[in-house]
Each structure stands twice: as structure tokens, then as C-alpha cells.
């Protein structure tokens, strides 16, 4: 239980708090900055507010040095992230994103680890047009980034269609309920008339919004595809037969940390109770207000909800939640996860519809000489009558295909040889890498552009060891922010410097145990030299059904990070 001294962190507010306060509910000088023809950039304070509108100012890091030598300003460009609760998009929306990427972006789309589209490389002059086109297709980027609740993730489970649909509806309701109420986005990007005197109210957030970003994910066991324990707030669907009863509530997960700063760390959330289904939005709101009121507004490195939960104690958070709700969460219900990751290829839902999961390496959709992935998916969108579901593992499902339409979709899949991952090793199918270079301003090492070639080399070892079909989760991030959730990789890599990574081992296959640091600051040769004997050892000495993450702990390569994610009051 927290003592009263530690309830509120001390210290002057971070500069970002002033920026939010003076922003007139996230307006700042964004309108003027985007009209300024002198520079392709916008001022620093506006870049911070822009995040709340789902966009980041970036520059092409491949070109940075050369442009500096030529005394040119960096190649400024903008990234836009769509708000897409549960990752569900219509074929029309897919086609809009596809053509926007060509017209205003860098010709590619990135499917993210939180089930949405990112478009990179948009020039300042094209931002408004891009957002307006998205709006015409009923998509927005409100709160896709910034100190607010982000894109709510939801299980994509195609087999349990009815349950998925119901859980998806709740995810959407939570997302909409927690949306900022300011009309700033509509004024700035969609030319809506100005709210007189900027007089607005944010009933949930207040004028300062949250101390930091906030993330929610909803899982349907046995699949933990959303990595529910990595979320600030996780909901685990509890059902009896086909009836959704409610959700277990898990608080205080997160992946980010800073190298060398032990006050920062990845953390898994803890299950604190159960909410009946129709009260889940209320629970989400009250938890968000606890973070609003108790989160650290002095030090952004310690401002995520996981630190608030750890500082206050889980007991205190539960008690505070019950008080704010005016009723008590029930005891958590039994559940069992069997895997995270995606299930590939065709599956038939209980309603008879078909769903096809594609393997999109690291979520990057682009056309290459020998693989016209973007064009192939566009052709599908042109004829598809169901929906697209973006998965939490950077893949996509062409979903709700009627029996009579399946052959047409399959013909396109065959014509373009679109991958369902079956021709790859199970390691590659279970791989994820964050964006990193060249667009991410925080990258310390390559990730998306490097992991595939590292896997090429690992596949030779797996082949020799007879492990090509063994599912092993491998994840890489270009810095310790952990955008690919690397702390939940059975094998995890976190970038330290160009070509150098910290290597982590031993996460749980179901996303219920963090991995542990095994080697620091190593390059490709050392990585392969470490993994080769370990993989052969695994092939030879593993117990029946033993997962790689469990094996490396049992055989002493690393010690287990205690899981104990169930909280018992
Ligand atoms: Fe992330 C910042 C990309 C999921 C933790 N993340 C960034 C930025 C915006 C860099 C920046 O601040 O300048 C990256 C933009 C790169 C680019 O060029 O596109 C970026 N994050 C991504 C994406 C696109 C990675 C991907 O390859 O899919 C993911 C977009 C998700 C989405 O659709 O909303 C993405 N980021 C995550 C996740 C995974 C998740 O949420 O499930 C995490 C870890 C979970 C968590 O938040 O604890 C994550 N991103 C961060 C952090 C560290 C936060 C922290 O607690 O310290 C930062 C940096 C920050 O916030 O200061 C960050
Ligand atoms: Fe960028 Fe780091 Fe996130 Fe990778 S983990 S996208 S390098 S912030």
C-alpha cells in the first residue's frame, strides 16, 4: 500500500505540461505553421502538439549527413498514423490509404504493431490534403499519438466470429469514449468553423490531458495476439460458451525503458479483477482518470501508468478504482492463453465466412521487383466485399469472404504469390521489427531493414538443426522504446548503436513473461555465435512441447523474470 508521501511525485511540471496548457486544447499555432511557406518544418512546440493529431515531424536520416554537408535543412517530412480501433478497415479505406501512399507518401504503407496504418514521407504542403482524403473515407488520426488514450487494440480471432464482433464493438466504444473532445483536429485539418473563444471542455482528460501516452488492448483467450500484459490497461474477455460475460482487468504494463537508467523498465500488467461486460467503458474511464490525477507530470521518463501503478501499489489502485466506480470489481475469472502471434492462411469462421491471414514482413507494404505485394493487396481490395483486419503483429487478414467469393480472392493471391508465411520458417512468421531507420528520429540501430537478413542467416542454422517449423518468437527494436514489444520475444534484440544490439532471452510464448538481458552490445557475428549452439542444444535436449523461451530458462542461459501477473488482494 502506498504511503501518502509517495502518492504524488514531487518536482516542477515538465515543459510539456505548459505546452499543453497554453495550447488552447491542442491548437497551438499549427494552422499558421502549416501555412508558413519558408520552411518544410514546423516549430518545436507545434511538433509536440501535432502528435495529438496523429502525426510526427521526421526527417530522412539516410540523407541527414549529406544534406548537412550541402548546408541544406534536413529532408523534413511527416508521418501520419491512422486511428483504427481493433484494426478494422473497409476495402474503400484500404484503397484510400494505398493511393495516398503513392500520391503524398513514400509509396509504401506500414502496418503497425498496434493494428493500424502509418504513412511516411508526407511533405508539409500535402498534410492537410492527406488528412482530408482520409476523412472522406471516414478515417481520422485523432489521438493516434500524444498524451491520450491511443488506438485500442482488439483480438482478430477469425474463428470465433460472433465473439470477435462483440468484443470489437466494445473496443470501438472504449476508443470513442476516450477520444479527446476538442474540435482542434476538425478546425485545423478539416476547416470546421472555429469554436468561439476556444471554449471547450475535456470532461475526462481536463486541459492538461494525461501525463503520458496511454494504451489499451483487449484479448480473447486462448489468443494473446494483442500482448495484453504489455498494455497500460488490458481487458481479457471472459466468456461461457458463446456468451461474453465480461472482462478481467489488467493494469500497468509497458515496454519502454532507457539504456542505463534503472528507474525505467518494461513491466507486465497485473490482473486486478473482473468487470461485467456493460461496465467496461466506465472502468476504462476511471482508470484513465487515476492516471490523469496520480501520474508523474514532472518526469516524462517515469510518467507511464506502469510507474504510477508501481509507485502507488496495485492494492491502492484497485481501492481507488472501486471508490471512483462506486462499486467493486469482482474477483478475476479463470482464463488461459495458448499463444500470441497470428495464425496464417485460410480459416473458416463459425458463421461460414472465410478469412485469410497474410504474412507481411515487419508490416511494410511495398512493391518490389519480384514481389508486388502492394499491388496484389490493392487488387483484392478492389473486389473484396468484406473487411480488412490489421493484426497486432503487423500482418493483415482479408476477412469475411463469402464462400462464393473465395475463389476470386484466391486467384489474386495465386497470381501475385502473396505470402501466407507457409514458405517461410516459423521463426520468420513469428518475427516483428519496429520501423527504426530511416524515418524514426529515435533509432539507434537498424530494425525493420535488418531483421530479415539476420533471419536469413538464422534460417540456415534452423534448417541444419531441424527447427524450421518450430515457432519461436523473435523481435527487434532499434532502440529501448520497444515499439515491437521486444521484451516479450523469446529472442529479443534492442538496438544500442549502429550494428550493435542487446540480446534478451526467455520470454513466455503466450506473452506472460518478460525476457532477460543475455548479452550486451553485440554485433551479427556474436549473435550468430551465441544462437547457433543454443539452437542445436534446444533441438537435442528440449522436453516434449517445450518452448524455446522456457528451455533457455530451464537450462540456465538466463534466469526467469518472475511472472506472477495475477494479483491477489
Ligand atoms: Fe512506438 C515512439 C513507432 C508501437 C513505445 N514509436 C515512437 C515513434 C513515434 C518515434 C518518436 O517518438 O519520434 C516511432 C515512429 C517511427 C516511424 O518512423 O514510424 C514509433 N511505435 C511505432 C510503431 C509504428 C512501430 C511499428 O513498427 O509498428 C508502432 C505504432 C503503433 C500504433 O499504431 O500506435 C509503435 N511503441 C509501440 C509499442 C508497442 C505497443 O504499443 O504495443 C511500444 C511499447 C509499448 C509501450 O508503449 O510501452 C512503443 N514508441 C514507444 C516509446 C516508449 C514509450 C515509453 O514508455 O517510454 C516511444 C518514445 C516515447 O514515447 O517517448 C515511441
Ligand atoms: Fe523508433 Fe525506437 Fe520505436 Fe524502433 S523502438 S520505432 S527505433 S522509437
Amino acid at each position: 500500500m502506498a504511503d501518502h508521501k509517495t502518492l504524488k511525485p514531487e518536482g516542477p511540471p515538465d515543459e510539456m505540461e505548459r505546452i499543453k496548457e497554453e495550447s488552447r486544447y491542442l491548437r497551438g499555432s499549427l494552422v499558421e505553421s502549416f501555412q508558413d511557406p519558408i520552411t518544410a518544418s514546423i516549430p518545436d512546440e507545434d511538433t509536440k502538439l501535432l502528435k495529438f493529431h496523429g502525426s510526427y515531424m521526421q526527417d530522412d536520416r539516410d540523407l541527414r549527413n549529406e544534406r548537412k554537408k550541402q548546408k541544406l535543412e534536413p529532408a523534413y517530412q511527416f508521418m501520419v498514423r491512422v486511428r483504427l480501433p481493433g484494426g478494422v478497415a473497409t476495402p474503400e479505406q484500404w484503397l484510400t490509404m494505398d493511393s495516398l501512399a503513392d500520391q503524398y507518401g513514400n509509396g509504401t504503407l506500414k502496418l503497425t504493431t498496434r493494428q493500424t496504418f502509418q504513412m511516411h514521407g508526407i511533405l508539409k504542403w500535402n498534410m492537410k490534403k492527406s488528412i482530408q482524403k482520409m476523412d472522406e473515407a471516414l478515417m481520422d488520426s485523432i489521438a493516434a499519438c500524444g498524451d491520450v488514450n491511443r488506438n485500442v487494440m482488439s483480438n482478430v480471432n477469425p474463428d470465433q466470429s460472433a465473439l470477435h464482433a462483440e468484443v470489437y464493438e466494445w473496443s470501438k466504444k472504449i476508443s470513442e469514449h476516450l477520444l479527446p473532445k476538442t474540435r482542434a483536429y476538425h478546425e485545423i485539418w478539416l476547416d470546421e468553423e472555429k469554436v468561439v473563444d476556444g471554449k471547450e471542455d475535456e470532461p475526462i482528460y481536463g486541459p492538461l490531458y494525461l501525463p503520458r501516452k496511454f494504451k489499451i488492448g483487449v484479448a480473447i483467450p486462448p489468443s494473446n495476439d494483442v500482448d495484453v500484459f504489455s498494455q497500460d490497461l488490458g481487458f481479457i474477455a471472459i466468456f461461457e460458451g458463446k456468451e461474453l460475460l465480461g472482462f478481467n482487468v489488467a493494469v500497468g504494463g509497458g515496454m519502454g525503458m532507457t539504456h542505463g537508467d534503472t528507474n525505467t523498465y518494461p513491466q507486465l500488467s497485473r490482473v486486478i479483477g473482473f468487470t461485467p461486460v456493460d461496465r467496461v467503458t466506465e472502468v476504462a474511464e476511471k482508470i484513465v482518470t487515476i492516471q490523469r490525477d496520480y501520474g508523474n507530470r514532472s518526469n516524462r521518463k517515469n510518467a507511464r501508468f506502469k510507474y504510477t501503478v508501481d509507485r502507488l501499489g496495485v492494492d491502492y489502485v484497485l481501492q481507488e478504482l472501486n471508490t471512483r466506480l462506486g462499486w467493486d470489481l469482482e474477483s478475476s475469472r479463470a482464463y488461459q492463453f495458448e499463444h500470441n502471434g497470428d495464425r496464417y492462411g485460410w480459416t473458416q469462421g463459425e458463421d461460414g465466412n472465410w478469412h485469410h491471414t497474410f504474412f507481411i514482413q515487419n508490416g511494410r507494404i511495398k512493391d518490389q521487383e519480384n514481389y508486388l505485394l502492394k499491388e496484389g493487396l490493392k487488387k483484392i481490395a478492389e473486389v473484396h466485399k468484406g473487411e480488412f483486419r490489421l493484426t497486432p503483429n503487423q500482418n493483415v487478414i482479408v476477412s469475411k469472404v463469402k464462400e462464393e467469393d473465395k475463389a476470386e480472392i484466391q486467384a489474386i493471391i495465386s497470381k501475385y504469390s502473396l505470402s501466407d508465411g507457409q514458405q517461410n520458417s516459423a521463426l520468420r512468421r513469428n518475427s516483428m521489427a519496429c520501423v527504426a531507420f530511416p524515418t524514426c528520429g529515435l533509432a539507434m540501430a537498424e530494425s525493420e531493414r535488418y531483421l530479415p537478413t539476420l533471419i536469413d542467416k538464422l534460417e540456415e542454422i534452423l534448417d541444419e538443426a531441424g527447427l524450421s517449423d518450430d515457432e519461436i518468437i523473435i523481435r527487434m527494436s532499434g532502440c529501448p522504446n520497444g515499439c515491437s514489444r521486444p521484451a516479450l520475444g523469446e529472442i529479443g534484440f534492442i538496438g544500442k548503436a549502429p550494428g550493435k544490439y542487446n540480446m534478451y532471452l526467455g520470454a513466455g510464448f503466450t506473452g506472460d513473461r518478460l525476457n532477460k538481458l543475455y548479452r550486451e552490445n553485440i554485433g551479427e557475428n556474436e549473435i550468430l555465435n551465441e544462437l547457433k549452439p543454443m539452437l542445436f542444444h534446444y533441438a537435442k535436449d528440449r522436453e516434449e512441447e517445450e518452448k524455446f523461451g522456457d528451455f533457455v530458462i530451464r537450462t540456465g542461459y538466463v534466469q526467469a523474470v518472475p511472472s506472477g501477473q495475477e494479483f491477489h488482494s
Side-chain angles (χ1 to χ4, degrees), residues 51 56-58 79 81-82 110-120 144-145 150-151 153 212-213 215 226-227 230-232 253-258 264-267 300-301 304 306-307 362-364 392 394 432-443 448 479-486:
K51 297 180 187 181
Y56 280 70
M57 187 173 87
Q58 306 183 314
M79 173 270 272
R81 186 183 286 165
V82 179
K110 171 86 179 180
L111 307 187
T112 74
T113 53
R114 294 190 72 78
Q115 298 181 278
T116 191
F117 298 103
Q118 272 189 192
M119 198 168 62
H120 291 99
C145 322
R150 304 291 189 85
N151 207 28
M153 290 171 73
R212 203 66 163 83
K213 56 174 74 162
K215 299 181 172 179
V226 300
D227 276 331
S230 74
Q231 313 279 341
D232 293 272
M255 296 281 100
M257 59 166 181
T258 303
T264 66
Y265 47 83
Q267 174 66 292
R300 288 181 67 79
K301 279 195 186 302
R304 291 295 294 274
K306 63 183 172 185
Y307 302 118
N362 303 327
R364 185 63 67 177
Q394 305 172 315
M432 276 211 289
C434 72
V435 183
F437 286 98
T439 53
C440 178
L442 305 177
E448 179 190 322
C479 84
N481 285 321
C483 298
S484 59
R485 300 187 289 272

